[in-house]
Amino acid sequence: MAIIDFLGFLGAFLIGVVLGIIGGGGSILTVPLLVYLLGYNPVVATAYSLFVVGTSSVVGVIQKHQKKLVDFKTGLAFSFPSFLAVYLTRRFLVPNIPDEIFNSNGFIITKEIAIMVFFSLVMFAASISMIKNKHKLTTVFIKQPYYKTFTQGLIIGGITGIIGAGGGFLYVPALVLWAGLSMKNAVGTSLVIISINSIIGFLGDLHNLNTDWVFLLIFSFLTISGVLLGGYLSKYISNKKLKKGFGWFILIMAIYIITKEFS
């Protein structure tokens, strides 16, 4: 096994550990790992990331359900518009983005650059949400009509479909503010949405990809193993401090991606 492959699989395991400890966020590193370390095309990387995130989130749902922190009814209701958007985005939008989006005086923005820059902007938003104190979310609950939730689900699902990450940093506040769930229940319930969205989004990609199933299954197995270890370690590690530290790390990664893509 080449050293790059070893580091890639080690990274998959560590991403799982982070997911298991803080309940989210780790999946946003899967795409940069696949693109910059293992050399995958961003379109393929976002597709593979959806599969890894989906399978890992299923394990997370089981863990949270055992602790009675999953509201399946709310999760499934919110999943419907989200997985529609994810599937349609991966099936029709991403494959039809032109290879060259902008070209002016030698300055070219390709499809691959656009996806990674958009991804870095989402990473930036995720980092801010992790760094900031979010306890205030538990004190606010605005009951709203389902058509608004449906629209919000479509928007979040569309973002998830493009970047190939779970979107937990978007779903958790939505479930707290719009569904009235506690923070802990929102985290557990968001995993239901993430797992459904990610797996269905990946199915939308099967029509457009030649999937390396051996690599993908090994990568996913290592991530899931990391999730199980992280779930065990979470009892001994400060979730608040780790989440804030991880937020700063993602912020640095977002800046790195933008710098690299335009260098």
Side-chain angles (χ1 to χ4, degrees):
M1 181 185 293
I3 185 66
I4 294 298
D5 293 331
F6 173 78
L7 292 175
F9 287 136
L10 177 62
F13 179 76
L14 294 177
I15 287 172
V17 172
V18 172
L19 279 167
I21 292 175
I22 69 175
S27 60
I28 207 167
L29 293 179
T30 306
V31 171
L33 176 68
L34 291 170
V35 172
Y36 296 121
L37 181 61
L38 298 177
Y40 281 91
N41 176 288
V43 175
V44 176
T46 53
Y48 282 11
S49 176
L50 286 171
F51 182 85
V52 174
V53 170
T55 53
S56 302
S57 296
V58 170
V59 175
V61 169
I62 295 172
Q63 286 183 320
K64 296 296 184 182
H65 177 60
Q66 291 174 341
K67 299 176 182 179
K68 298 182 179 180
L69 295 175
V70 179
D71 185 335
F72 283 103
K73 182 178 179 180
T74 299
L76 292 174
F78 204 93
S79 291
F80 177 65
S82 297
F83 78 65
L84 278 180
V86 173
Y87 179 83
L88 293 174
T89 299
R90 297 306 302 187
R91 181 70 175 85
F92 299 106
L93 176 61
V94 173
N96 287 294
I97 297 175
D99 293 332
E100 190 174 290
I101 298 175
F102 180 82
N103 188 343
S104 178
N105 298 322
F107 179 74
I108 301 173
I109 297 179
T110 64
K111 176 179 180 177
E112 295 180 5
I113 292 175
I115 288 176
M116 293 310 298
V117 170
F118 182 68
F119 186 87
S120 67
L121 294 176
V122 175
M123 287 181 73
F124 180 81
S127 68
I128 298 302
S129 72
M130 291 180 182
I131 293 169
K132 292 175 64 177
N133 189 329
K134 305 191 78 173
H135 290 306
K136 293 181 180 180
L137 285 174
T138 59
T139 64
V140 181
F141 172 41
I142 303 175
K143 185 72 174 179
Q144 66 176 7
Y146 183 68
Y147 78 87
K148 290 186 177 181
T149 301
F150 188 91
T151 303
Q152 291 150 354
L154 287 176
I155 295 172
I156 298 175
I159 295 173
T160 299
I162 294 173
I163 67 175
F169 71 99
L170 295 172
Y171 289 119
V172 171
L175 290 169
V176 172
L177 295 173
W178 304 327
L181 300 184
S182 68
M183 182 63 74
K184 288 186 176 181
N185 282 80
V187 171
T189 304
S190 72
L191 291 174
V192 175
I193 305 169
I194 292 167
S195 59
I196 293 173
N197 286 0
S198 299
I199 292 173
I200 290 180
F202 176 75
L203 292 177
D205 275 308
L206 288 179
H207 302 274
N208 308 308
L209 296 177
N210 291 318
T211 306
D212 183 350
W213 283 106
V214 174
F215 166 81
L216 189 55
L217 291 174
I218 293 174
F219 194 97
S220 301
F221 172 78
L222 290 171
T223 303
I224 291 171
S225 299
V227 169
L228 295 174
L229 177 61
Y232 173 77
L233 295 176
S234 64
K235 297 182 291 185
Y236 307 101
I237 300 177
S238 170
N239 182 77
K240 183 178 179 181
K241 291 181 179 179
L242 182 66
K243 194 166 188 177
K244 182 169 289 190
F246 188 66
W248 282 108
F249 178 69
I250 290 180
L251 178 61
I252 294 171
M253 284 291 297
I255 295 172
Y256 169 78
I257 290 174
I258 292 179
T259 303
K260 185 174 179 63
E261 291 300 326
F262 285 109
S263 62

